[in-house]
Amino acid sequence: MVGPGWQRIGPHPAIAAWAKAARAAALDVLAATTETWRCGGTWFVGVDALPNAPDGSIDGTAFPWVALPLAPEPLHRAQLSVIRPGYPQPSPEETPAAFAFRRDRDAAHLDGLLPIGPDKRRMVKEPHAWILGLPLNDTAAAPLTVWEGSHDILRAALLEALNPHPPETWGDIDITEAYQAARKDIFATCRRIELHAKPGEATLLHRLTLHGVAPWKPDDRAPREGRMIAYLRPQFTTVHQWLTAP
């Protein structure tokens, strides 16, 4: 993917059919879950929560590969991200500074970087190939946010930080400072957009795009279950491929 680092796809009937089946499954998941909602009870993280098959199908409904500019590949169980009114709220799992960043900067992040060790140093542990979002209900509340062109800035910064090291070690290199400096540059130079989409549409992000979730606005409205989006992020085999592939 070139250009801004994101695209909206559809509407397409195959995406709509999958979203309808996934929404029914998602409501069952929410009704049965024991997972604690984060951010003061306003965010269901839902990692691997949806019961889709490795081919992406769910309850017999085919995954909409036909509507996507992606080659079919085995998929993990989709994340089910659900946001409720009031998101975000302070919570014990976040420091005041982390909460402020979530509230004021959409908790902007690069997927695949994990906080490692007691000092939570950032390392690339999940080298995703792409990030696909599939809205499961119709609402403009708490949308996905993206910083256009941020993937180019992050690629350059992380390559500069990692190139002195053997590629096979890149997943174990601390890139915290390079990442934070690049993120600061992105906030200063890249346009932030709210990327709305409805069931039957999809959002596709370049894997290196900085993105987040906008806070729930006072006039936002959503179905009773809240804003629901399914996310899929299959992985490359190496961090080198993650950082150097188109």
Side-chain angles (χ1 to χ4, degrees), residues 13-246:
I15 302 176
W18 190 91
K20 181 179 180 181
R23 179 179 183 270
L27 293 176
D28 289 342
V29 169
L30 293 178
T33 187
T34 59
E35 180 178 329
T36 300
W37 288 58
R38 291 180 55 185
C39 299
T42 60
W43 179 31
F44 180 78
V45 180
V47 174
D48 297 334
L50 280 179
N52 55 281
D55 66 0
S57 64
I58 191 163
D59 291 336
T61 300
F63 192 73
W65 292 114
V66 65
L68 303 173
L70 300 167
E73 62 178 291
L75 296 175
H76 59 89
R77 286 170 58 119
Q79 178 189 6
L80 172 62
S81 176
V82 187
I83 300 289
R84 283 175 172 166
Y87 171 86
Q89 295 294 314
S91 58
E93 75 261 13
E94 283 189 327
T95 65
F99 168 71
F101 186 76
R102 181 177 296 278
R103 179 194 62 208
D104 301 335
R105 289 292 194 184
D106 306 337
H109 63 281
L110 174 60
D111 277 358
L113 305 190
L114 299 186
I116 304 301
D119 295 328
K120 297 184 178 180
R121 308 301 290 176
R122 291 298 194 269
M123 299 180 186
V124 186
K125 295 299 185 183
E126 296 177 352
H128 301 120
W130 38 262
I131 304 164
L132 182 72
L134 296 153
L136 302 188
N137 58 10
D138 191 356
T139 175
L144 172 71
T145 58
V146 299
W147 279 260
E148 290 189 324
S150 57
H151 59 303
D152 292 327
I153 295 174
L154 280 162
R155 187 199 303 273
L158 298 184
L159 275 174
E160 183 178 3
L162 292 173
N163 267 333
H165 306 277
E168 62 272 17
T169 69
W170 283 8
D172 298 317
I173 303 300
D174 180 356
I175 59 168
T176 307
E177 279 77 19
Y179 169 59
Q180 291 177 344
R183 192 171 61 183
K184 184 177 181 180
D185 185 22
I186 287 164
F187 289 150
T189 62
C190 294
R191 184 167 74 108
R192 170 192 177 274
I193 65 166
E194 297 187 354
L195 187 49
H196 297 279
K198 297 181 178 182
E201 299 176 324
T203 58
L204 180 62
L205 303 190
H206 189 281
R207 61 191 177 277
L208 300 177
T209 295
L210 192 75
H211 62 282
V213 177
W216 195 287
K217 300 179 181 69
D219 59 347
D220 278 347
R221 298 291 181 267
R224 182 178 179 181
E225 64 269 15
R227 187 277 277 152
M228 297 199 307
I229 301 177
Y231 284 104
L232 289 145
R233 307 174 186 85
Q235 294 188 28
F236 284 134
T237 55
T238 69
V239 175
H240 183 269
Q241 189 178 17
W242 174 80
L243 202 48
T244 59

